[in-house]
Amino acid sequence: ELAAARLRVLDPEALVSRLSDRLDVLTGGSRDAPSRQRTLRDTIAWSHDLLTPSEQRLFQRLAVFTGGCTLEAAEAVAGSADVNILDGLETLIDQSLLRRVAGAASEARYQMLETVREYALERLKASNGEVLVRRAHAAHFLDFAERVEQEFQGPDQAIWLDRLEAEHANTRAALDYLAAAGDREAELRLARALWVGWYYRGPLHEGVGRLEEALERARDVEPSLRSRAHSFATLLNWTLGDSDRALDHGTTALALAREAGNSECAAYALYFRALVLAWDLRDWDA
C-alpha cells in the first residue's frame, strides 16, 4: 500500500530503483490510518517496541546475518547471558520480525525480510554495539569455515558442502569485515579455508579474487599460513586454466614452506605445483 501511494509521483521503474532504501521511500501512508501504518519504519518500530529489552537486543544482533542463520550461529553471535535464544526466536517469529525456513541438511534457518533487517541494523548501529557483533560474526564464520575444511576429510562431504554453500553470503560478509578491520591473519585464514566451497561449488573467479586479495594484504603474516594459501591459489587458478599464474603461486608456496621448515606445507606446494607442470605444461623434468 505504501509503495502504491508513491506511484502518484514515481513511475514503477523509478520506484523499484529507490527501494534499496525502503524505510525512507515508503512513507506515504494515509493520514487517516493509525500512526504505525503511515510509514514502513513506523510499522516495524511498532512491533519492535512490543519486545522486551533483551528481545530487542537479540533482534538487533541477528541483523548482522546475511541470508539468515542457523540456531548454532545465532547462539554464537547473538546470544549472551541476558538473552534466551530459543524464547527470543519464538517471540520474534510471533511478531513477524523473523521467519523460520528450511536450510541445508534439514537444518532450520532463521531469516529476516530485508526491510526488517534494514531497520534492525539501524537500531544496532544506534546502540553502538555493531562492531562487537560483527567481530563475533566474523569469528564464528572463521571457525565454521575451518571446521568445514576439517570435516570435508570425512564421510559427510556433501552435507558440509551444502552447509558451507548456505552460508556463502555470511562468509563473504565476514571476509569484508576482516579486510576492513585490518585483521590480516584472520582474513587470510578464512579466505584459505573457503577453498573447499569455491573449488567444488564456485564461483571460482570470486575465490581466486578473494584469496589473492587476502594474500596481497597479508605479506607480514607467518610463512606457513601464506604457503598454504598460495597452494590453494595454485589449485584455483589451475582449475580456471591460468597455468602461468598458478605456477607463480605454486613456486611462492614452496619457497615459503621451505622458509618455515614446514614439510606439510611443502608437500601441498609440491603437489599442486606438479599438477600445473605435468598436466598443463608437460614439463616433466621440473
Side-chain angles (χ1 to χ4, degrees):
E1 292 176 1
L2 294 172
R6 285 297 189 198
L7 293 175
R8 291 194 295 269
V9 293
L10 294 171
D11 60 43
E13 292 77 11
L15 177 59
V16 168
S17 70
R18 291 171 178 265
L19 285 182
S20 58
D21 191 11
R22 302 170 184 85
L23 297 179
D24 290 329
V25 171
L26 302 183
T27 59
S30 170
R31 296 178 182 178
D32 297 332
S35 59
R36 67 176 183 271
Q37 296 177 10
R38 293 177 189 170
T39 73
L40 189 57
R41 179 178 278 105
D42 289 342
T43 300
I44 302 171
W46 181 77
S47 293
H48 173 270
D49 292 344
L50 295 176
L51 303 174
T52 67
S54 64
E55 291 166 348
Q56 290 177 358
R57 286 190 288 275
L58 175 61
F59 171 66
Q60 293 163 17
R61 293 169 186 170
L62 290 174
V64 299
F65 291 103
T66 305
C69 65
T70 62
L71 177 59
E72 179 184 8
E75 290 173 330
V77 176
S80 65
D82 64 337
V83 174
N84 184 302
I85 290 290
L86 292 178
D87 290 346
L89 292 176
E90 183 176 357
T91 299
L92 294 178
I93 291 171
D94 288 343
Q95 292 292 334
S96 299
L97 294 171
L98 195 69
R99 56 181 180 171
R100 181 177 180 271
V101 298
S106 302
E107 193 172 26
R109 292 183 69 80
Y110 302 92
Q111 289 183 338
M112 289 181 182
L113 296 174
E114 277 305 303
T115 305
V116 174
R117 180 171 173 265
E118 184 180 333
Y119 176 84
L121 279 173
E122 284 187 358
R123 299 302 295 256
L124 179 63
K125 291 174 182 177
S127 73
N128 296 318
E130 184 181 14
V131 172
L132 289 176
V133 180
R134 289 204 179 276
R135 188 181 301 157
H137 176 274
H140 171 74
F141 283 103
L142 172 56
D143 289 343
F144 170 75
E146 292 182 333
R147 182 183 176 191
V148 171
E149 186 183 29
Q150 181 179 5
E151 295 288 350
F152 188 73
Q153 308 303 318
D156 297 320
Q157 291 182 345
I159 291 173
W160 285 99
L161 279 174
D162 288 344
R163 287 174 174 164
L164 182 59
E165 188 172 18
E167 302 296 359
H168 183 72
N170 279 311
T171 55
R172 181 187 286 134
L175 278 171
D176 289 341
Y177 170 79
L178 293 170
D183 192 337
R184 305 309 182 207
E185 180 177 342
E187 181 192 4
L188 187 58
R189 283 173 58 196
L190 179 54
R192 185 204 58 76
L194 291 173
W195 78 269
V196 175
W198 284 322
Y199 181 71
Y200 288 99
R201 298 289 175 86
L204 275 170
H205 284 92
E206 180 182 359
V208 167
R210 290 282 192 168
L211 191 51
E212 290 183 341
E213 288 169 5
L215 278 165
E216 182 64 27
R217 287 189 282 264
R219 293 179 179 272
D220 295 329
V221 172
E222 61 93 14
S224 291
L225 175 56
R226 284 187 288 143
S227 175
R228 288 286 293 271
H230 277 290
S231 287
F232 290 115
T234 305
L235 175 64
L236 295 181
N237 274 289
W238 175 67
T239 306
L240 281 174
D242 192 337
S243 302
D244 292 337
R245 198 173 189 89
L247 188 57
D248 287 343
H249 280 291
T251 301
T252 302
L254 184 57
L256 288 168
R258 287 171 172 167
E259 175 187 338
N262 190 316
S263 58
E264 182 180 354
C265 287
Y268 272 101
L270 286 166
Y271 174 70
F272 290 129
R273 188 170 178 271
L275 286 177
V276 182
L277 290 167
W279 288 92
D280 286 5
L281 303 181
R282 299 293 190 266
D283 189 347
W284 306 108
D285 293 335

